[in-house]
Amino acid sequence: MRVVLAEDLYLLREGLVRLLEAHDCTVVAAVETGPDLLDALLTHRPDVAVVDVRLPPTNTDEGLQAALTARRQVPGLPVLVLSQHVEQLYARELLADGTGGIGYLLKDRVFNADQFLDAVRRVAGGGTAMDPEVIAKLLQQPARNVPLARLTPREREVLELMAEGRSNAAIGQRLFLSESAVGKHTASIFGKLDLAPSDDDNRRVLAVLAYLNGAG
C-alpha cells in the first residue's frame, strides 16, 4: 500500500513512517507543510493519504484543505485525517463531496497501532473510518432530514457502528445480534434512506455519508 503522510511534528511523523512500513506499507512521501502535501498527493496519487489537519504555514486547517483540493483533482482519493480535537466543521467538509475513502481520527488513536492501521486499510479500500468521538459530537443534535428521522433507535445504533467502518459481524458482536439480524437492519436502513439497490459496500458508504451529513 502506497501512503503519503503529512505531519509537522518530526518525532510523530517518523514514528508513523516506521509503523506503516513495518506493516507492509510504503511511505512514498512524508511531508510537513500544506503545499508540500498537495504536491505529493498530485505527484504520487497514493493508495491513501494520512493527513494532520493543522499544518504549516498557517497551522489552521492547511492539511485538510490540501487534501480536499487533491480530492477535487483526483476524485475518490482516499484520505484519513488526524486531528487533535473533534471539529464538526472539518468532518463535514471531508464528507461534503459524497464519496467514500474518508476517515477522521483523533490523534490519540495513532497510539493504538491496531486501531490506526485498521482505519488506514479501511479508508484505502474506499470505506469510512470515523472516530467514535467524532460521531458522538455529530449526534448531539437531532437529525435534520426526514429519511434519517425514519430510522428506529436500533437502526441508528447499527448505522453509527457502520460509520466506524465495522462489518455486519462486528456490529452483531457489539449489539449482541446475529449477523442475519444485522443484515435485516442494514437492508431496512438502505430502504429508509432511499438508497437504490447497488453494490452493498457502496450503499454502506452512502448510508454513512447521509447519516453524518444530516445528523447535526
Side-chain angles (χ1 to χ4, degrees), residues 160-175:
E160 181 177 343
L161 291 170
M162 228 191 268
E164 293 178 23
R166 299 182 187 276
S167 66
N168 282 3
I171 292 171
Q173 289 177 350
R174 175 68 71 88
L175 299 179

Side-chain angles (χ1 to χ4, degrees), residues 112-125:
N112 182 327
D114 289 341
Q115 186 176 14
F116 170 66
L117 292 166
D118 181 57
V120 171
R121 294 186 187 105
R122 272 190 270 133
V123 172

Side-chain angles (χ1 to χ4, degrees), residues 133-208:
E133 287 191 35
V134 174
I135 296 169
K137 193 85 169 181
L138 291 170
L139 295 180
Q140 287 179 352
Q141 297 177 355
R144 295 178 302 176
N145 62 48
V146 173
L148 288 177
R150 299 174 190 157
L151 300 182
T152 66
R154 176 62 87 187
E155 287 165 350
R156 287 176 70 89
E157 286 180 323
V158 169
L159 191 46
E160 181 177 343
L161 291 170
M162 228 191 268
E164 293 178 23
R166 299 182 187 276
S167 66
N168 282 3
I171 292 171
Q173 289 177 350
R174 175 68 71 88
L175 299 179
F176 304 102
L177 296 171
S178 68
E179 192 169 345
S180 63
V182 175
K184 290 177 181 176
H185 283 306
T186 58
S188 177
I189 289 166
F190 295 153
K192 290 180 179 180
L193 295 183
D194 301 320
L195 298 177
S198 66
D199 176 76
D200 186 60
D201 286 343
N202 185 55
R203 285 202 293 174
R204 290 174 81 88
V205 170
L206 292 174
V208 168

Side-chain angles (χ1 to χ4, degrees), residues 39-56:
D39 181 63
L41 292 176
L42 296 179
T43 298
H44 296 287
R45 303 199 174 201
D47 297 313
V48 64
V50 178
V51 177
D52 185 359
V53 166
R54 298 175 185 270
L55 291 176

Side-chain angles (χ1 to χ4, degrees), residues 68-148:
L68 292 173
T69 298
R71 273 176 70 92
R72 284 192 288 271
Q73 296 186 47
V74 185
L77 177 71
V79 174
L80 174 61
V81 167
L82 304 177
S83 179
Q84 196 70 45
H85 308 287
V86 176
E87 295 283 355
Q88 293 187 58
L89 178 60
Y90 294 162
R92 294 197 188 286
E93 281 193 80
L94 194 61
L95 293 161
D97 67 4
T99 60
I102 52 173
Y104 186 132
L105 289 184
L106 292 179
K107 269 193 172 179
D108 289 348
R109 308 295 179 198
V110 305
F111 298 109
N112 182 327
D114 289 341
Q115 186 176 14
F116 170 66
L117 292 166
D118 181 57
V120 171
R121 294 186 187 105
R122 272 190 270 133
V123 172
T128 57
M130 304 303 292
D131 194 287
E133 287 191 35
V134 174
I135 296 169
K137 193 85 169 181
L138 291 170
L139 295 180
Q140 287 179 352
Q141 297 177 355
R144 295 178 302 176
N145 62 48
V146 173
L148 288 177

